[in-house]
Amino acid sequence: MAQYANLKDYFQNEHIKLIQDSISNYLNDDEQITEAVIRSLVCTYDDAKYNADFDLGVSVKAVGAVETDDLSFIVTIRGNIEQRFKDIQVKGVKRVSSDMFPEDNILSQFILPDIQSDDVERIGNDLYGFCADKGLFVNYKLHIEKLVSDGMIYFAPLPNNCLGRVILSVADVEIIKNVQTEDGLKPKKCTIRATHGTILLNYKKYAEEMDGGLRITVAHELVHTLFHDRFLKLLQLLGEEKVELHSSTETVALDENMSDIQKALRIAESQADVLAMPLVIPKITVDAAIQEVATDPSTHYANYGDRMQACVNKFAKLYGVSVYIAKDRLRQLGYDFVDGTCLEYEENGRKIHPAPFYFQPRKLKGNETFVIDRNNYERLLRENKEFSELINNGRYIYLGYVVCMLSSKYVAVSFNSDDAEFVLTDYAREHADECLIKFRYKKIANTGLIYSDHITSYLSKMPEFNKVEIESFKICDSNKELDEKIIDDMKNYVDVINELKSQKYSTFANTLVLHMRKNDVEEKILSFRTSIDVTLIRDYYKGKKIPSEENVMALCIGLKLHPDFCYDMFEKANYFIKSDNPKHLAYRFLFNYTSKSIGTCNAILEKLGQKPVPKKNNTQNNNPQKKKPQKKKQVSNS
């Protein structure tokens, strides 16, 4: 425990006689001071040499005073923090009424800087300039190796929930460093003599596990030593020997039940949290870094969603931080494209990293996102009638991280051995603002923190204090009106997908029956559309025979199946349609034209150098409306 609660308490216990004598000299000789109490304190000036001025609101009792109430004074004092106020002197005394006392506050009690949100980037650039001049940056990266070699930081065996610690007074501390052995570099514990400002970092987290947040934590501690030096010296003056600044992986908000020192530490933590990001990724360097990333051939992908994610990954490597920190910082600086990159969510205990998506720039405001986690999605379903209607009537579907218009243009189905899941189509991933719902959010876990509005990350691997709550949603203007036929098609598509998940439709035969029923196609109609003998079709759906690849393709055309269902049909027939042989490439291209007649489809196959479907020995014209004489040559279908 600290010996003193705050600076006011320190002056009350250490220098009250000086203050009391100064008031006695101000009063008449017949008024003798019997008691003086410091009621408030405000810092009015401090400089780079640690000199500081304070106005103290002091109440006194005096023998011989005419007034029955306590007398009130403002006493101005000056002292040097680094000299532990041994040079303290009174600069002036003024008689006032008690309502004129300076307003007490935690910042003054602990000589903490008053940082406004508008000052953050400027201060971050100043800190970067200072560190760069000291050689603490190499290219874009904070130079960790130099900080270690210069003895500014050490790795130590700290508790699991302690990220870092700042030593305030001379002490022996245990550290871990790599030493050369016959088997190479090995970690070894040793003891060093730490001095004021020594930074210790969690060895297991940052040196052993190589956590991607290392530079952010180092920057956080540098902010304390460079920007909070007066505060740290004052804590030492009040009796603190070490401070576990940034000590917990769970951020604690301000609480009225906290002691003054706890509140001051929380404010200092909040300031360091905010300034660490601009120090690690300084705003004045970002434009050059983005230009370098954009012209790097390794970031050039055909799909813009993939390209934007590649840019974030490259950007993160330039600064030596995790992609989630890079994403957070870019979003902070107004680069909204990162909203669709580096996503992660959990479904049934399985971590999923969906394909990134892209949208036109400047579509999102600072408190808007296309991404929504499951808790917020389910809450919105319960609480917002308009939103629940969009989902329940089949107009939109939740994909686990975004809510998308339900149309084959935007949503596809990915089949795997265990299940089928909905995914964004390649088109949707390049035109997200055309099909995704946009959400407005507010932060909920930072309540009570001074700079909570400056932390912007959402749905990425960041600490708990970055969680948000969805307030409202907005449908893109171009998608507010949907054609009824499209809605019906979407509902039918979803119904089929849900049925295909059932074990009942694990065979080709049962799947064929399902598509015939859903599309209201009888065996004779299907035979007419495909030129496959009706008896053979009957054998297929009864499970007596498995069709050839050519006949599977013909059946997909005859049933006018969606591409996703075409893939499923080939897999159920045990054909690996995803190979790169010319026939499979042609069939996959044809999946997009199954709504055409088989004659048109065969013309396409011919252009692609492939044989027509179905196989000739399986072809027979069966027109249920009018029986035509069988021809020796293949029937031409209109």
Side-chain angles (χ1 to χ4, degrees), residues 336-388:
D336 57 355
F337 76 87
V338 299
D339 196 65
T341 67
C342 310
L343 298 168
E344 176 183 298
Y345 68 96
E346 191 169 301
E347 202 72 56
N348 299 321
R350 181 168 63 102
K351 287 187 177 181
I352 300 173
H353 296 88
F357 59 83
Y358 173 77
F359 49 91
Q360 291 300 313
R362 293 176 293 282
K363 287 292 183 181
L364 298 179
K365 297 178 181 176
N367 63 337
E368 291 181 339
T369 178
F370 285 115
V371 179
I372 180 172
D373 65 330
R374 183 164 291 280
N375 288 338
N376 272 298
Y377 167 74
E378 292 178 350
R379 182 183 60 80
L380 212 56
L381 273 181
R382 294 192 304 268
E383 299 176 3
N384 192 298
K385 183 179 178 181
E386 184 183 356
F387 181 76
S388 63

Side-chain angles (χ1 to χ4, degrees), residues 46-62:
D46 69 285
D47 61 23
K49 296 181 180 179
Y50 301 102
N51 296 308
D53 292 354
F54 303 91
D55 280 350
L56 310 179
V58 184
S59 294
V60 302
K61 294 183 183 297

